[in-house]
C-alpha cells in the first residue's frame, strides 16, 4: 500500500460491505461538537464521545482507494509458553456495591491471558479479607474505578442484608496501610485514586476535584499522554501514549521537600493544550496541560500507584494494558 509492505497479521477491512461504514466509524477519530445549553452548561452525550479502536488498541491505520495486492503467509509458529512455576497472585477489590469496571478488570485476566501475563493469577478481595488482614500471598491489590465513598462506606445499614453493608471503613484503611508499608502494592484506577489520596494522606492533589463542568468537561474521550519511559512501569513503551478520560482525576505533586524521591510522575499530559485531545470532546482541556495522569508514591517498603484514567477501559485499551500489568510487578 503506497509502496509499503505490511506484515502477515495485518487486517484488511473492506468498506464494500453492509457494515463497512460502521467499521470506518469505529477506527477513525471522532470530533464531537461543543454542545452547550442556554445556561452555558455542556449537554451530556448519551454514552461517551470517542470510540476510536485504532487509538485504544495502538494499531496503525492506512486507507487504500484502490484494490490491494495481498499474499498471505501465516506461518506455523507456536504461541508463547509459560516459563513460570509459581504464578504471582494479584488481588482485585470487589466492593459489595457493584462496579462495572471491576467486572472488566476480571475479564481481562480471565479472557485476555495472552495480553495480560501468563505468570499472573488473580483473586477477588472483599471487605472481609481487608478488615481481617488476610492478605498474605497477595502481591498487589487493584482498586477498579469506583467512587471513594462506595469504597469507604459501601451500602448503608438496613439497605441490604447486614453481611453486604458497610465498606472498608477506617479499620480497613489502616489494614491497607499496614499491607503497603510491609511491602505490598496498591493500584488505584481512575476515581478510586481519590480514595487513596485522602485516606493515606498522600502528597498528591487532584486539581480537577472541584472544577465546574461549565469550565471543564471531558465525558469519555481519548487524550494524549507523555510517558516517563525510564520508569519501570513504562519500560518498553513508546513515549507517546493515550488515556481514556472519563470523570478522571488530574494529578499534581504537592511542593513538599519531604516527598522528594518518594513520588514519581510516570505519565502526564502535553504542555501544549492543542496536542492533548485525540478523539472525542474536551471542554477546557488547557486546564490539564502539563498535569499528571499516572503517579507512583512510595509508602514504607511498598508503593501506591494511581491511574488518572482507566487503563483497561471496557477491555479495549490494549495500548495501556502494559501500564497496568507493569504496575503490578514488584
Amino acid at each position: 500500500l503506497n509502496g509499503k509492505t505490511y506484515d502477515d497479521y495485518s487486517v484488511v477491512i473492506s468498506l464494500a460491505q453492509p457494515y463497512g461504514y460502521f467499521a470506518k466509524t469505529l477506527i477513525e477519530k471522532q470530533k464531537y461538537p461543543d454542545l452547550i445549553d442556554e445556561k452555558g452548561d455542556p449537554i451530556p452525550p448519551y454514552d461517551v464521545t470517542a470510540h476510536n479502536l485504532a487509538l485504544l488498541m495502538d494499531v496503525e491505520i492506512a486507507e487504500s482507494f484502490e484494490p490491494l495486492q495481498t499474499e498471505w503467509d501465516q506461518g506455523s509458529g507456536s504461541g508463547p509458553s509459560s516459563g513460570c512455576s509459581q504464578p504471582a497472585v494479584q488481588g482485585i477489590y470487589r466492593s459489595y456495591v457493584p462496579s462495572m469496571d471491576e467486572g472488566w478488570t476480571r475479564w481481562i485476566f480471565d479472557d485476555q491471558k495472552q495480553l495480560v501475563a501468563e505468570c499472573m493469577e488473580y483473586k477477588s478481595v472483599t471487605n472481609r479479607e481487608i478488615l481481617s488482614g488476610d492478605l498474605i500471598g497477595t502481591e498487589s491489590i487493584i482498586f477498579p474505578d469506583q467512587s471513594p465513598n462506595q469504597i469507604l462506606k459501601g451500602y448503608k445499614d438496613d439497605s441490604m442484608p447486614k453481611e453486604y453493608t458497610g465498606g472498608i471503613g477506617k479499620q480497613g484503611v489502616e489494614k491497607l496501610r499496614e499491607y503497603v508499608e510491609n511491602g505490598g502494592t496498591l493500584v488505584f484506577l481512575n476515581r478510586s485514586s481519590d480514595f487513596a489520596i485522602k485516606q493515606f494522606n498522600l502528597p498528591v492533589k487532584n486539581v480537577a476535584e472541584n472544577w465546574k463542568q461549565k469550565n471543564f468537561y471531558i465525558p469519555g474521550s481519548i487524550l494524549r499522554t507523555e510517558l516517563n519511559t525510564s520508569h519501570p512501569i513504562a519500560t518498553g513503551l513508546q513515549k507517546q501514549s493515550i488515556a481514556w478520560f472519563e470523570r478522571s482525576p488530574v494529578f499534581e505533586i504537592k511542593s513538599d521537600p519531604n516527598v522528594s524521591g518518594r513520588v514519581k510522575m510516570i505519565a502526564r499530559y502535553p504542555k501544549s493544550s492543542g496536542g492533548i485531545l485525540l478523539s472525542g470532546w474536551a471542554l477546557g482541556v488547557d486546564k490539564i496541560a502539563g498535569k499528571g495522569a499516572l503517579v507512583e508514591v512510595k509508602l514504607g517498603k511498598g508503593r501506591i500507584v494511581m491511574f488518572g484514567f482507566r487503563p483497561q477501559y471496557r477491555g479495549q485499551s490494549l495500548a495501556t494494558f502494559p501500564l497496568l500489568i507493569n504496575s503490578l510487578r514488584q
Side-chain angles (χ1 to χ4, degrees):
L1 175 59
N2 298 325
K4 183 175 180 180
T5 301
Y6 291 85
D7 63 43
D8 294 337
Y9 295 94
S10 299
V11 176
V12 177
I13 301 174
S14 172
L15 297 187
Q17 58 163 303
Y19 296 101
Y21 278 87
F22 177 69
K24 182 175 184 291
T25 300
L26 288 175
I27 59 178
E28 65 186 2
K29 294 182 180 180
Q30 289 78 48
K31 183 174 175 57
Y32 199 86
D34 290 336
L35 297 180
I36 308 297
D37 65 18
E38 63 278 2
K39 296 180 180 179
D41 295 316
I43 300 173
Y46 168 74
D47 184 20
V48 295
T49 62
H51 43 257
N52 185 290
L53 293 182
L55 288 172
L56 289 170
M57 296 184 172
D58 193 24
V59 295
E60 178 186 350
I61 298 295
E63 291 183 301
S64 175
F65 298 96
E66 298 178 356
L68 293 177
Q69 297 295 323
T70 57
E71 296 180 3
W72 303 105
D73 180 11
Q74 298 291 349
S76 58
S78 60
S81 60
S82 174
C84 56
S85 58
Q86 187 67 36
V89 178
Q90 318 299 331
I92 300 177
Y93 174 66
R94 191 169 190 174
S95 169
Y96 298 140
V97 181
S99 162
M100 186 181 297
D101 200 57
E102 183 268 336
W104 280 117
T105 307
R106 284 188 288 112
W107 184 83
I108 65 169
F109 275 89
D110 284 334
D111 294 330
Q112 301 294 309
K113 196 70 173 177
Q114 75 281 12
L115 297 175
V116 179
E118 290 194 2
C119 290
M120 285 188 182
E121 294 183 354
Y122 84 89
K123 67 176 182 180
S124 292
V125 174
T126 66
N127 297 340
R128 292 190 188 96
E129 285 80 26
I130 293 174
L131 289 170
S132 66
D134 185 18
L135 301 173
I136 297 175
T138 306
E139 290 197 356
S140 62
I141 304 173
I142 304 172
F143 282 76
D145 175 50
Q146 193 167 20
S147 77
N149 190 60
Q150 289 179 348
I151 298 172
L152 185 66
K153 298 181 179 179
Y155 282 120
K156 295 180 180 179
D157 291 341
D158 300 326
S159 64
M160 295 285 286
K162 184 174 179 57
E163 61 267 31
Y164 298 115
T165 59
I168 288 175
K170 293 298 182 182
Q171 179 184 341
V173 170
E174 290 308 309
K175 291 289 186 180
L176 289 173
R177 179 184 290 277
E178 181 180 332
Y179 166 78
V180 176
E181 290 180 343
N182 287 332
T185 295
L186 297 180
V187 178
F188 293 86
L189 308 185
N190 213 46
R191 292 177 299 159
S192 68
S193 294
D194 280 328
F195 172 87
I197 290 173
K198 294 175 182 177
Q199 298 304 319
F200 298 110
N201 193 27
L202 301 180
V204 178
K205 182 180 181 181
N206 172 15
V207 295
E209 184 176 19
N210 297 314
W211 290 348
K212 303 298 183 184
Q213 287 190 356
K214 186 174 291 187
N215 302 315
F216 180 77
Y217 189 60
I218 305 180
S221 300
I222 302 171
L223 308 184
R224 186 192 308 278
T225 60
E226 297 175 346
L227 300 180
N228 173 11
T229 54
S230 65
H231 193 282
I233 290 179
T235 295
L237 301 180
Q238 298 295 320
K239 186 174 180 60
Q240 298 284 330
S241 187
I242 66 161
W244 176 267
F245 195 104
E246 185 179 5
R247 294 184 293 175
S248 302
V250 180
F251 303 126
E252 193 173 81
I253 299 174
K254 293 181 179 179
S255 55
D256 183 345
N258 295 322
V259 306
S260 178
R262 194 161 70 90
V263 184
K264 299 292 184 182
M265 193 67 74
I266 303 161
R268 63 174 72 243
Y269 300 106
K271 292 182 179 179
S272 172
S273 60
I276 297 177
L277 178 63
L278 292 174
S279 187
W281 182 22
L283 180 65
V285 71
D286 58 298
K287 295 174 74 68
I288 67 173
K291 304 297 184 185
L294 172 57
V295 64
E296 178 191 67
V297 182
K298 297 291 181 63
L299 189 63
K301 297 179 181 179
R303 61 204 177 97
I304 294 175
V305 180
M306 295 181 291
F307 284 81
F309 54 96
R310 290 162 64 187
Q312 53 7 333
Y313 166 72
R314 294 182 181 176
Q316 298 174 359
S317 301
L318 274 64
T320 48
F321 277 5
L323 292 171
L324 175 60
I325 300 308
N326 288 345
S327 71
L328 303 176
R329 295 192 169 103
Q330 298 293 330

